Amino acid sequence: MQSPTTTEQELLAALANGQRVATEQIYRQNYHIVSGWLVKNGGSASDADDLFQEAMVILYSKAQDEEFRLTCSVGTYLFAISKHLWYKKLHRQSREPVALYDNTATDEDERTGIAYEDDINAHEEREAHYQQLDAALDQLGEPCRSILRAYYHQDKSMQEIAADFGYTNPDNAKTQKYKCLARLRKIFNAM
Amino acid sequence: MSINKVNIWELAESYLAGSLPQQDVAQLNDRLKTDAVFAAEFNDAVNLIRAATDSGKHKRFRSMVQDISMQQKDAPKAEKKARHILLTPQLWRTAAVAATVAIFTSTVTFWSLKPSLNKTESKYNRISREVTGLKAEQARQLARQKQLEQDLADQAKKSLQPTSDVKTTGTGFALTNNGYFVTAYHVIHDENGYGDSVYIQNSNGQYFKASLVTFDADADVAIMKVNKGGFRFGKGELPYSFPQSKAGLGTHIFTLGYPSEDITYSEGYISSRNGYDGNAMQYTLELPAGHGQSGSPLIDNKGNILGLLTAVGSQLEEKTYAVSTKAIVSLLHKLPDEKKVKLPKTAHIARMSREEQIEKMEAYTVSVKVYKKN
């Protein structure tokens, strides 16, 4: 028998690996708590979808860290992050100061409102960084753009890429990939 | 195979994958230590590959979550029943193993291969600003990490798991108007390695991405360049100059820096010709300085840059230390010809009032922000 905590840790480890079954389970177990709260606090159903998706992505980033996985309560974290995301959104819309430190969710651990804010800020910075990288990728010519997308975004192997793009062997495709990376760096650094 | 003959991207890739043979790792470490230009380029390659990989993983995760979200909406009634689906034990085991593998591969990355410079002593505190609580967290992680890595090479001990993006901030100032600037090396490279990316923020609040040109870790000087083409710090020529002779005892000096989001002025004097532990490349100062002011310019009344702030003493002796301009100049001399940097020779602010001097300096003094997964 596994204790509930072990299960939660393993669930998180699986989520961190991008495994669908675990991600789906975490989604299902927590979505309704968040959407229920949100509707009571002036949000719509589609707000809830967006918000919760964002919270899941933040959880995914955080779950890459083993220390976090050992100490985190998934439900508490997702709920608190969602609340903070929502407060932040309201704050941005209204430009009025909003109390961001909601302590109701922090009883179980020592995380403060500030720590959630930090996670959200880190997430936004990361997203901005990725967006910049995407923009650089968009400026790359072909076949570079497609090769790098296939390798990094679609997680294809060099064998598959060699076959798809008509290279005689994976090594040739690799050489091309390195050239593409060099071009990407030039564009990215100039942004 | 000699690492010097391998494509730098291939090198960075196999390095990140942890598939580089041990002797190559040793060779690479040697070269990273001795060849600053190569180190900067390699670091850049590692960061780009890592960002592309992470960004791809995030994309796949995000689209999976979107898919799950759609699926849940299509089958709202199944929700209650589906609630208690658990993974089979077998699947769990694979998950756990996969997770362990992930931990191993992701820890044998860049941080682990850069030996710590470990220069910081308890009496000598580098004054870059870090997010509170980071140190304690690092210590905890380090302990955990060591256990995980006992079969790995000794160098791997220093490595850390990515948690979240942590910011170190310091100050930098322009060397040329077209984007070259200097900051303290420890701002961009602490005991855990390089940051993922470095941005400067000018006094107008604008951000610009920058990359490392060269550095001298011992002297604690890093020379960087803003990446954006056509970038200018300010309108005119740089308002200050870089004399190479050492300034005398008692010289009055001031500094501008970013201990917080706002640019801050402080003033003092040179209290000793040499720096920490008699270091002749440094000055000792009576000057209030705090975290975030690492890399701030040390300026005399005539607008001469005498050095850059590097560290403060322990709380008992409130001394501040600065690296002298000489270290910057000699580092610039080592750059290959095509990257030569010409320093301004005249200080336009020599005869101005302090208020005017500060006003002129502001555009050329920037906050340096380092983002990374610690």
Short mmCIF file of all heavy atoms in Angstrom, two decimals, chain B residues 126-184:
data_model
loop_
_atom_site.label_atom_id
_atom_site.label_comp_id
_atom_site.label_asym_id
_atom_site.label_seq_id
_atom_site.Cartn_x
_atom_site.Cartn_y
_atom_site.Cartn_z
N ARG B 126 30.06 39.62 -1.37
CA ARG B 126 29.73 40.16 -2.67
C ARG B 126 28.37 40.85 -2.58
O ARG B 126 27.47 40.36 -1.92
CB ARG B 126 29.63 39.02 -3.68
CG ARG B 126 30.80 38.99 -4.62
CD ARG B 126 32.05 38.38 -3.98
NE ARG B 126 33.24 38.64 -4.76
CZ ARG B 126 33.75 37.77 -5.64
NH1 ARG B 126 33.17 36.64 -5.84
NH2 ARG B 126 34.83 38.07 -6.30
N ILE B 127 28.26 41.99 -3.25
CA ILE B 127 27.06 42.77 -3.02
C ILE B 127 26.06 42.73 -4.15
O ILE B 127 25.41 43.71 -4.45
CB ILE B 127 27.40 44.23 -2.65
CG1 ILE B 127 28.44 44.77 -3.62
CG2 ILE B 127 27.86 44.33 -1.24
CD1 ILE B 127 28.83 46.21 -3.33
N SER B 128 25.93 41.60 -4.79
CA SER B 128 24.79 41.49 -5.67
C SER B 128 23.58 41.15 -4.81
O SER B 128 23.71 40.61 -3.73
CB SER B 128 25.02 40.41 -6.73
OG SER B 128 25.40 39.23 -6.12
N ARG B 129 22.43 41.49 -5.29
CA ARG B 129 21.23 41.30 -4.50
C ARG B 129 20.56 40.01 -4.92
O ARG B 129 20.43 39.73 -6.09
CB ARG B 129 20.29 42.48 -4.76
CG ARG B 129 19.18 42.65 -3.80
CD ARG B 129 18.80 44.13 -3.80
NE ARG B 129 18.49 44.60 -5.14
CZ ARG B 129 17.26 44.65 -5.64
NH1 ARG B 129 16.24 44.25 -4.94
NH2 ARG B 129 17.06 45.12 -6.85
N GLU B 130 20.13 39.22 -3.98
CA GLU B 130 19.45 37.99 -4.35
C GLU B 130 18.10 37.92 -3.67
O GLU B 130 17.87 38.53 -2.65
CB GLU B 130 20.27 36.77 -3.91
CG GLU B 130 21.53 36.62 -4.71
CD GLU B 130 22.29 35.41 -4.29
OE1 GLU B 130 21.74 34.32 -4.39
OE2 GLU B 130 23.42 35.57 -3.84
N VAL B 131 17.25 37.15 -4.25
CA VAL B 131 15.94 36.98 -3.67
C VAL B 131 16.09 36.31 -2.30
O VAL B 131 16.82 35.34 -2.15
CB VAL B 131 15.06 36.12 -4.59
CG1 VAL B 131 13.74 35.80 -3.94
CG2 VAL B 131 14.86 36.82 -5.91
N THR B 132 15.43 36.85 -1.31
CA THR B 132 15.58 36.38 0.07
C THR B 132 15.27 34.91 0.20
O THR B 132 14.39 34.39 -0.44
CB THR B 132 14.61 37.15 0.99
OG1 THR B 132 14.25 38.35 0.35
CG2 THR B 132 15.22 37.38 2.34
N GLY B 133 16.01 34.28 1.07
CA GLY B 133 15.71 32.89 1.35
C GLY B 133 16.35 31.93 0.38
O GLY B 133 16.35 30.74 0.59
N LEU B 134 16.93 32.47 -0.63
CA LEU B 134 17.52 31.62 -1.66
C LEU B 134 18.65 30.76 -1.10
O LEU B 134 18.73 29.58 -1.36
CB LEU B 134 18.03 32.50 -2.80
CG LEU B 134 18.80 31.77 -3.89
CD1 LEU B 134 17.90 30.77 -4.57
CD2 LEU B 134 19.38 32.74 -4.87
N LYS B 135 19.50 31.40 -0.34
CA LYS B 135 20.67 30.69 0.17
C LYS B 135 20.27 29.45 0.97
O LYS B 135 20.84 28.39 0.78
CB LYS B 135 21.50 31.62 1.07
CG LYS B 135 22.22 32.68 0.28
CD LYS B 135 23.45 32.13 -0.43
CE LYS B 135 24.07 33.25 -1.23
NZ LYS B 135 24.87 32.79 -2.32
N ALA B 136 19.29 29.65 1.86
CA ALA B 136 18.87 28.54 2.70
C ALA B 136 18.32 27.42 1.83
O ALA B 136 18.63 26.25 2.03
CB ALA B 136 17.82 29.01 3.69
N GLU B 137 17.56 27.81 0.84
CA GLU B 137 16.96 26.82 -0.04
C GLU B 137 18.04 26.08 -0.80
O GLU B 137 17.99 24.87 -0.97
CB GLU B 137 16.01 27.52 -1.01
CG GLU B 137 15.07 26.55 -1.68
CD GLU B 137 14.16 27.24 -2.66
OE1 GLU B 137 13.88 28.45 -2.46
OE2 GLU B 137 13.75 26.59 -3.61
N GLN B 138 19.03 26.83 -1.23
CA GLN B 138 20.12 26.20 -1.96
C GLN B 138 20.84 25.19 -1.10
O GLN B 138 21.20 24.11 -1.56
CB GLN B 138 21.13 27.26 -2.42
CG GLN B 138 20.65 28.01 -3.63
CD GLN B 138 21.59 29.12 -4.00
OE1 GLN B 138 22.47 29.47 -3.22
NE2 GLN B 138 21.40 29.67 -5.17
N ALA B 139 21.04 25.56 0.15
CA ALA B 139 21.75 24.66 1.05
C ALA B 139 20.98 23.35 1.18
O ALA B 139 21.55 22.27 1.11
CB ALA B 139 21.92 25.32 2.42
N ARG B 140 19.68 23.47 1.33
CA ARG B 140 18.84 22.27 1.47
C ARG B 140 18.91 21.42 0.22
O ARG B 140 19.05 20.20 0.27
CB ARG B 140 17.39 22.68 1.74
CG ARG B 140 17.00 22.46 3.20
CD ARG B 140 15.53 22.76 3.40
NE ARG B 140 15.27 24.19 3.27
CZ ARG B 140 14.32 24.69 2.52
NH1 ARG B 140 13.55 23.92 1.79
NH2 ARG B 140 14.14 25.99 2.46
N GLN B 141 18.84 22.10 -0.91
CA GLN B 141 18.86 21.36 -2.17
C GLN B 141 20.19 20.68 -2.38
O GLN B 141 20.27 19.58 -2.89
CB GLN B 141 18.60 22.32 -3.32
CG GLN B 141 17.18 22.74 -3.35
CD GLN B 141 16.89 23.53 -4.60
OE1 GLN B 141 17.80 23.82 -5.35
NE2 GLN B 141 15.65 23.87 -4.80
N LEU B 142 21.21 21.39 -1.97
CA LEU B 142 22.55 20.87 -2.16
C LEU B 142 22.70 19.55 -1.41
O LEU B 142 23.25 18.58 -1.93
CB LEU B 142 23.56 21.89 -1.65
CG LEU B 142 24.96 21.77 -2.24
CD1 LEU B 142 24.89 21.92 -3.74
CD2 LEU B 142 25.84 22.84 -1.64
N ALA B 143 22.18 19.52 -0.21
CA ALA B 143 22.27 18.32 0.60
C ALA B 143 21.56 17.16 -0.11
O ALA B 143 22.10 16.06 -0.25
CB ALA B 143 21.64 18.56 1.95
N ARG B 144 20.39 17.44 -0.60
CA ARG B 144 19.62 16.42 -1.28
C ARG B 144 20.34 15.96 -2.54
O ARG B 144 20.45 14.78 -2.84
CB ARG B 144 18.26 17.01 -1.65
CG ARG B 144 17.34 16.03 -2.34
CD ARG B 144 16.00 16.68 -2.58
NE ARG B 144 15.45 17.23 -1.35
CZ ARG B 144 14.90 16.49 -0.40
NH1 ARG B 144 14.87 15.19 -0.52
NH2 ARG B 144 14.42 17.06 0.67
N GLN B 145 20.85 16.95 -3.23
CA GLN B 145 21.52 16.70 -4.48
C GLN B 145 22.70 15.75 -4.31
O GLN B 145 22.91 14.85 -5.09
CB GLN B 145 22.04 18.03 -5.01
CG GLN B 145 22.19 18.06 -6.48
CD GLN B 145 20.83 18.01 -7.15
OE1 GLN B 145 19.97 18.80 -6.84
NE2 GLN B 145 20.65 17.06 -8.03
N LYS B 146 23.45 15.98 -3.26
CA LYS B 146 24.65 15.20 -3.06
C LYS B 146 24.33 13.72 -2.99
O LYS B 146 25.04 12.88 -3.53
CB LYS B 146 25.36 15.64 -1.78
CG LYS B 146 26.27 16.80 -2.06
CD LYS B 146 27.10 17.15 -0.85
CE LYS B 146 27.95 18.35 -1.16
NZ LYS B 146 28.27 19.12 0.01
N GLN B 147 23.23 13.43 -2.33
CA GLN B 147 22.82 12.05 -2.21
C GLN B 147 22.53 11.45 -3.58
O GLN B 147 22.91 10.33 -3.88
CB GLN B 147 21.58 11.98 -1.35
CG GLN B 147 21.78 11.03 -0.20
CD GLN B 147 20.57 11.06 0.68
OE1 GLN B 147 19.83 12.03 0.71
NE2 GLN B 147 20.37 9.98 1.40
N LEU B 148 21.86 12.23 -4.39
CA LEU B 148 21.48 11.74 -5.70
C LEU B 148 22.67 11.51 -6.59
O LEU B 148 22.66 10.69 -7.49
CB LEU B 148 20.56 12.76 -6.39
CG LEU B 148 19.15 12.85 -5.91
CD1 LEU B 148 18.49 14.08 -6.49
CD2 LEU B 148 18.38 11.61 -6.29
N GLU B 149 23.72 12.22 -6.32
CA GLU B 149 24.79 12.25 -7.29
C GLU B 149 26.04 11.50 -6.89
O GLU B 149 27.09 11.70 -7.45
CB GLU B 149 25.18 13.71 -7.56
CG GLU B 149 24.16 14.41 -8.38
CD GLU B 149 24.49 15.87 -8.50
OE1 GLU B 149 25.49 16.30 -7.88
OE2 GLU B 149 23.75 16.57 -9.19
N GLN B 150 25.88 10.63 -5.88
CA GLN B 150 27.13 10.08 -5.39
C GLN B 150 27.88 9.25 -6.42
O GLN B 150 29.09 9.13 -6.33
CB GLN B 150 26.94 9.31 -4.08
CG GLN B 150 25.73 8.42 -4.03
CD GLN B 150 25.33 8.13 -2.60
OE1 GLN B 150 26.02 8.51 -1.68
NE2 GLN B 150 24.23 7.44 -2.42
N ASP B 151 27.19 8.66 -7.36
CA ASP B 151 27.93 7.90 -8.37
C ASP B 151 28.45 8.79 -9.48
O ASP B 151 29.20 8.36 -10.32
CB ASP B 151 27.09 6.80 -9.02
CG ASP B 151 25.92 6.38 -8.19
OD1 ASP B 151 26.18 5.84 -7.12
OD2 ASP B 151 24.79 6.62 -8.63
N LEU B 152 28.02 10.01 -9.46
CA LEU B 152 28.48 10.87 -10.55
C LEU B 152 29.83 11.50 -10.19
O LEU B 152 30.30 11.39 -9.07
CB LEU B 152 27.45 11.97 -10.80
CG LEU B 152 26.12 11.48 -11.35
CD1 LEU B 152 25.14 12.62 -11.38
CD2 LEU B 152 26.32 10.90 -12.74
N ALA B 153 30.40 12.13 -11.17
CA ALA B 153 31.71 12.75 -10.95
C ALA B 153 31.66 13.76 -9.82
O ALA B 153 30.61 14.34 -9.54
CB ALA B 153 32.16 13.44 -12.23
N ASP B 154 32.77 13.98 -9.18
CA ASP B 154 32.85 14.92 -8.06
C ASP B 154 32.40 16.31 -8.44
O ASP B 154 31.80 17.02 -7.64
CB ASP B 154 34.29 15.01 -7.56
CG ASP B 154 34.64 13.82 -6.72
OD1 ASP B 154 33.72 13.05 -6.36
OD2 ASP B 154 35.83 13.63 -6.45
N GLN B 155 32.66 16.68 -9.64
CA GLN B 155 32.32 18.04 -10.07
C GLN B 155 30.84 18.29 -9.98
O GLN B 155 30.41 19.44 -9.89
CB GLN B 155 32.71 18.25 -11.54
CG GLN B 155 34.14 17.97 -11.82
CD GLN B 155 34.26 17.47 -13.24
OE1 GLN B 155 33.58 16.53 -13.63
NE2 GLN B 155 35.13 18.09 -14.00
N ALA B 156 30.06 17.23 -10.04
CA ALA B 156 28.61 17.39 -10.09
C ALA B 156 28.04 17.86 -8.75
O ALA B 156 26.89 18.25 -8.66
CB ALA B 156 27.96 16.09 -10.49
N LYS B 157 28.84 17.86 -7.73
CA LYS B 157 28.34 18.17 -6.39
C LYS B 157 27.66 19.52 -6.27
O LYS B 157 26.73 19.69 -5.49
CB LYS B 157 29.48 18.10 -5.38
CG LYS B 157 29.66 16.70 -4.85
CD LYS B 157 30.67 16.67 -3.74
CE LYS B 157 31.00 15.22 -3.40
NZ LYS B 157 32.32 15.10 -2.83
N LYS B 158 28.14 20.45 -7.00
CA LYS B 158 27.61 21.80 -6.84
C LYS B 158 26.29 22.01 -7.57
O LYS B 158 25.71 23.07 -7.50
CB LYS B 158 28.62 22.81 -7.38
CG LYS B 158 29.75 23.06 -6.42
CD LYS B 158 29.39 24.16 -5.45
CE LYS B 158 30.38 24.19 -4.30
NZ LYS B 158 30.00 25.15 -3.29
N SER B 159 25.86 21.03 -8.28
CA SER B 159 24.72 21.28 -9.15
C SER B 159 23.42 21.35 -8.39
O SER B 159 23.26 20.82 -7.31
CB SER B 159 24.63 20.20 -10.21
OG SER B 159 24.01 19.08 -9.65
N LEU B 160 22.47 22.05 -8.96
CA LEU B 160 21.20 22.27 -8.29
C LEU B 160 20.05 21.98 -9.24
O LEU B 160 20.18 22.10 -10.44
CB LEU B 160 21.11 23.72 -7.84
CG LEU B 160 22.04 24.09 -6.70
CD1 LEU B 160 22.10 25.58 -6.56
CD2 LEU B 160 21.59 23.46 -5.41
N GLN B 161 18.95 21.63 -8.66
CA GLN B 161 17.73 21.43 -9.44
C GLN B 161 17.12 22.77 -9.79
O GLN B 161 17.09 23.66 -8.97
CB GLN B 161 16.72 20.69 -8.56
CG GLN B 161 16.82 19.21 -8.64
CD GLN B 161 16.50 18.71 -10.02
OE1 GLN B 161 17.38 18.24 -10.71
NE2 GLN B 161 15.26 18.83 -10.44
N PRO B 162 16.61 22.90 -10.97
CA PRO B 162 15.89 24.14 -11.25
C PRO B 162 14.66 24.25 -10.35
O PRO B 162 13.92 23.28 -10.22
CB PRO B 162 15.47 23.99 -12.71
CG PRO B 162 15.99 22.71 -13.18
CD PRO B 162 16.60 21.97 -12.07
N THR B 163 14.46 25.34 -9.70
CA THR B 163 13.21 25.52 -8.97
C THR B 163 12.39 26.56 -9.69
O THR B 163 11.43 26.27 -10.37
CB THR B 163 13.45 26.01 -7.53
OG1 THR B 163 14.46 26.99 -7.55
CG2 THR B 163 13.81 24.88 -6.63
N SER B 164 12.80 27.78 -9.56
CA SER B 164 12.07 28.81 -10.28
C SER B 164 13.12 29.79 -10.75
O SER B 164 14.27 29.67 -10.42
CB SER B 164 11.11 29.50 -9.34
OG SER B 164 11.84 30.15 -8.34
N ASP B 165 12.69 30.74 -11.52
CA ASP B 165 13.65 31.70 -12.01
C ASP B 165 14.01 32.66 -10.90
O ASP B 165 13.14 33.27 -10.31
CB ASP B 165 13.06 32.46 -13.18
CG ASP B 165 12.76 31.52 -14.32
OD1 ASP B 165 13.04 30.32 -14.16
OD2 ASP B 165 12.26 31.97 -15.34
N VAL B 166 15.27 32.75 -10.62
CA VAL B 166 15.71 33.62 -9.55
C VAL B 166 16.50 34.75 -10.16
O VAL B 166 17.21 34.57 -11.13
CB VAL B 166 16.58 32.84 -8.55
CG1 VAL B 166 17.09 33.75 -7.47
CG2 VAL B 166 15.78 31.71 -7.95
N LYS B 167 16.36 35.88 -9.56
CA LYS B 167 17.01 37.04 -10.11
C LYS B 167 18.16 37.48 -9.22
O LYS B 167 18.02 37.54 -8.02
CB LYS B 167 15.99 38.17 -10.14
CG LYS B 167 15.72 38.65 -11.48
CD LYS B 167 14.71 39.75 -11.57
CE LYS B 167 13.71 39.93 -10.48
NZ LYS B 167 12.52 40.63 -10.94
N THR B 168 19.29 37.72 -9.82
CA THR B 168 20.33 38.42 -9.11
C THR B 168 20.38 39.79 -9.77
O THR B 168 20.26 39.88 -10.97
CB THR B 168 21.70 37.76 -9.33
OG1 THR B 168 21.56 36.38 -9.16
CG2 THR B 168 22.71 38.31 -8.37
N THR B 169 20.54 40.82 -8.98
CA THR B 169 20.65 42.11 -9.63
C THR B 169 21.94 42.78 -9.22
O THR B 169 22.46 42.57 -8.14
CB THR B 169 19.48 43.04 -9.30
OG1 THR B 169 19.59 43.41 -7.93
CG2 THR B 169 18.16 42.38 -9.55
N GLY B 170 22.46 43.54 -10.12
CA GLY B 170 23.65 44.32 -9.86
C GLY B 170 23.53 45.59 -10.66
O GLY B 170 22.46 45.95 -11.14
N THR B 171 24.67 46.27 -10.80
CA THR B 171 24.68 47.51 -11.55
C THR B 171 25.76 47.39 -12.61
O THR B 171 26.71 46.65 -12.42
CB THR B 171 24.97 48.69 -10.60
OG1 THR B 171 23.98 48.69 -9.58
CG2 THR B 171 24.97 50.02 -11.33
N GLY B 172 25.58 48.07 -13.72
CA GLY B 172 26.61 48.10 -14.73
C GLY B 172 26.72 49.50 -15.29
O GLY B 172 25.82 50.31 -15.08
N PHE B 173 27.80 49.80 -15.96
CA PHE B 173 27.89 51.11 -16.60
C PHE B 173 28.58 51.00 -17.94
O PHE B 173 29.37 50.08 -18.20
CB PHE B 173 28.56 52.14 -15.69
CG PHE B 173 29.95 51.76 -15.23
CD1 PHE B 173 31.07 52.25 -15.89
CD2 PHE B 173 30.14 50.93 -14.14
CE1 PHE B 173 32.34 51.92 -15.47
CE2 PHE B 173 31.40 50.58 -13.71
CZ PHE B 173 32.51 51.08 -14.38
N ALA B 174 28.27 51.94 -18.81
CA ALA B 174 28.68 51.87 -20.20
C ALA B 174 30.19 52.04 -20.36
O ALA B 174 30.83 52.82 -19.66
CB ALA B 174 27.97 52.95 -21.00
N LEU B 175 30.74 51.25 -21.31
CA LEU B 175 32.15 51.44 -21.70
C LEU B 175 32.20 52.16 -23.05
O LEU B 175 33.14 52.88 -23.35
CB LEU B 175 32.85 50.08 -21.83
CG LEU B 175 33.02 49.29 -20.54
CD1 LEU B 175 33.64 47.93 -20.85
CD2 LEU B 175 33.89 50.03 -19.55
N THR B 176 31.19 51.88 -23.86
CA THR B 176 31.05 52.60 -25.13
C THR B 176 29.56 52.91 -25.27
O THR B 176 28.73 52.23 -24.67
CB THR B 176 31.45 51.73 -26.35
OG1 THR B 176 30.51 50.64 -26.45
CG2 THR B 176 32.85 51.20 -26.22
N ASN B 177 29.25 53.90 -26.05
CA ASN B 177 27.83 54.25 -26.17
C ASN B 177 27.04 53.20 -26.94
O ASN B 177 25.84 53.08 -26.80
CB ASN B 177 27.69 55.62 -26.84
CG ASN B 177 26.33 56.24 -26.54
OD1 ASN B 177 25.56 55.71 -25.74
ND2 ASN B 177 26.04 57.35 -27.19
N ASN B 178 27.72 52.37 -27.75
CA ASN B 178 26.98 51.42 -28.59
C ASN B 178 26.72 50.08 -27.93
O ASN B 178 26.42 49.11 -28.61
CB ASN B 178 27.68 51.24 -29.94
CG ASN B 178 29.00 50.51 -29.80
OD1 ASN B 178 29.46 50.25 -28.68
ND2 ASN B 178 29.61 50.17 -30.90
N GLY B 179 26.83 50.01 -26.61
CA GLY B 179 26.34 48.80 -25.97
C GLY B 179 27.30 48.03 -25.08
O GLY B 179 26.88 47.16 -24.33
N TYR B 180 28.59 48.31 -25.17
CA TYR B 180 29.50 47.63 -24.26
C TYR B 180 29.36 48.20 -22.86
O TYR B 180 29.28 49.42 -22.68
CB TYR B 180 30.95 47.78 -24.71
CG TYR B 180 31.31 46.85 -25.85
CD1 TYR B 180 31.19 47.26 -27.17
CD2 TYR B 180 31.78 45.56 -25.60
CE1 TYR B 180 31.49 46.41 -28.22
CE2 TYR B 180 32.09 44.70 -26.63
CZ TYR B 180 31.95 45.13 -27.95
OH TYR B 180 32.26 44.29 -28.97
N PHE B 181 29.30 47.32 -21.87
CA PHE B 181 29.27 47.80 -20.49
C PHE B 181 30.00 46.82 -19.59
O PHE B 181 30.33 45.70 -19.98
CB PHE B 181 27.84 48.05 -20.01
CG PHE B 181 27.00 46.81 -19.91
CD1 PHE B 181 26.85 46.15 -18.70
CD2 PHE B 181 26.34 46.31 -21.02
CE1 PHE B 181 26.05 45.00 -18.60
CE2 PHE B 181 25.54 45.17 -20.93
CZ PHE B 181 25.40 44.52 -19.72
N VAL B 182 30.26 47.26 -18.38
CA VAL B 182 31.00 46.43 -17.45
C VAL B 182 30.16 46.25 -16.19
O VAL B 182 29.39 47.12 -15.80
CB VAL B 182 32.39 47.04 -17.14
CG1 VAL B 182 32.27 48.40 -16.47
CG2 VAL B 182 33.24 46.11 -16.30
N THR B 183 30.29 45.07 -15.59
CA THR B 183 29.67 44.84 -14.29
C THR B 183 30.58 43.89 -13.52
O THR B 183 31.63 43.49 -14.02
CB THR B 183 28.24 44.27 -14.44
OG1 THR B 183 27.63 44.16 -13.14
CG2 THR B 183 28.24 42.90 -15.10
N ALA B 184 30.19 43.57 -12.29
CA ALA B 184 31.01 42.63 -11.52
C ALA B 184 30.71 41.22 -12.01
O ALA B 184 29.56 40.87 -12.27
CB ALA B 184 30.70 42.76 -10.04
#
